[in-house]
Amino acid sequence: MAGGTKAKSGNQSHVSSDILEMTLDHDSGTMSGKIIKGPMEGRELADLSETEFLELLRYCRGQDDDSARLLETYLDRRFGDSWRADDAAASENDQSGDNGNTSGPLNESEALDILGLEPGASREEIIKAHRRMMQKLHPDHGGSNYLAARINEAKECLLG
């Protein structure tokens, strides 16, 4: 993962895709993100206008399904469903064939980042981190199917 410091275990989780790096603060539930590739490279998501979010979403959908899903999750947490009407209007004639594919299986480092754990985490720590994340990000609790799936995938990867 690009970037410098890593958060203390249990306080933050990091997820990255081809285009975005996202951080979730476990205590507040706040997501933050940075664009790491593309025309808006280097910008923080918090600094984008609504129009720029929709442009970025279209770019992500054309380049990387994981990035698009990650941005949609961010938008849902930040704006609720309100952004979806604008997105639908903007892309009414631009329906992409989203087939649900991801960019491939997680490696151990990515799985540890998603769960906010350090290398060498015990089985019990992995299970606790998974449970804590699912309590905050499960679709039944306002989270997204995509993030819940990635959290489950991280747990499966680490427990093998």
Side-chain angles (χ1 to χ4, degrees), residues 48-98:
L48 299 182
S49 69
E50 181 179 353
T51 303
E52 289 173 317
F53 275 123
L54 295 177
E55 288 174 21
L56 177 59
L57 184 57
R58 281 192 293 278
Y59 174 76
C60 289
R61 285 176 176 159
Q63 300 294 315
D64 178 54
D65 288 343
D66 280 346
S67 296
R69 285 189 200 97
L70 200 52
L71 183 58
E72 288 170 354
T73 298
Y74 173 87
L75 293 171
D76 284 342
R77 287 187 77 80
R78 183 165 167 193
F79 301 111
D81 284 337
S82 63
W83 68 271
R84 291 187 182 274
D86 293 331
D87 176 46
S91 62
E92 195 170 80
N93 295 323
D94 184 33
Q95 296 297 322
S96 63
D98 181 9

Side-chain angles (χ1 to χ4, degrees), residues 4-159:
T5 62
K6 192 170 186 173
K8 293 179 187 172
S9 177
N11 291 333
Q12 293 184 337
S13 293
H14 305 279
V15 179
S16 61
S17 65
D18 191 37
I19 300 169
L20 302 169
E21 282 183 351
M22 304 290 280
T23 301
L24 171 71
D25 182 277
H26 293 209
D27 297 326
S28 68
T30 302
M31 288 181 82
S32 60
K34 184 174 183 174
I35 304 164
I36 57 173
K37 179 181 173 186
M40 297 182 201
E41 182 176 344
R43 297 202 47 202
E44 297 290 330
L45 293 180
D47 297 335
L48 299 182
S49 69
E50 181 179 353
T51 303
E52 289 173 317
F53 275 123
L54 295 177
E55 288 174 21
L56 177 59
L57 184 57
R58 281 192 293 278
Y59 174 76
C60 289
R61 285 176 176 159
Q63 300 294 315
D64 178 54
D65 288 343
D66 280 346
S67 296
R69 285 189 200 97
L70 200 52
L71 183 58
E72 288 170 354
T73 298
Y74 173 87
L75 293 171
D76 284 342
R77 287 187 77 80
R78 183 165 167 193
F79 301 111
D81 284 337
S82 63
W83 68 271
R84 291 187 182 274
D86 293 331
D87 176 46
S91 62
E92 195 170 80
N93 295 323
D94 184 33
Q95 296 297 322
S96 63
D98 181 9
N99 58 13
N101 289 341
T102 61
S103 62
L106 292 176
N107 64 40
E108 182 177 351
S109 175
E110 292 168 329
L112 289 167
D113 272 351
I114 287 170
L115 293 178
L117 297 170
E118 297 293 329
S122 70
R123 178 178 179 79
E124 182 178 316
E125 290 170 323
I126 293 166
I127 291 169
K128 281 183 180 179
H130 174 267
R131 186 172 296 128
R132 182 178 59 249
M133 296 290 295
M134 289 304 277
Q135 287 172 343
K136 291 187 180 227
L137 296 174
H138 191 277
D140 292 345
H141 301 286
S144 75
N145 289 330
Y146 174 71
L147 280 182
R150 293 300 274 186
I151 292 165
N152 285 334
E153 186 179 355
K155 176 185 167 193
E156 290 171 17
C157 173
L158 295 173
L159 296 179

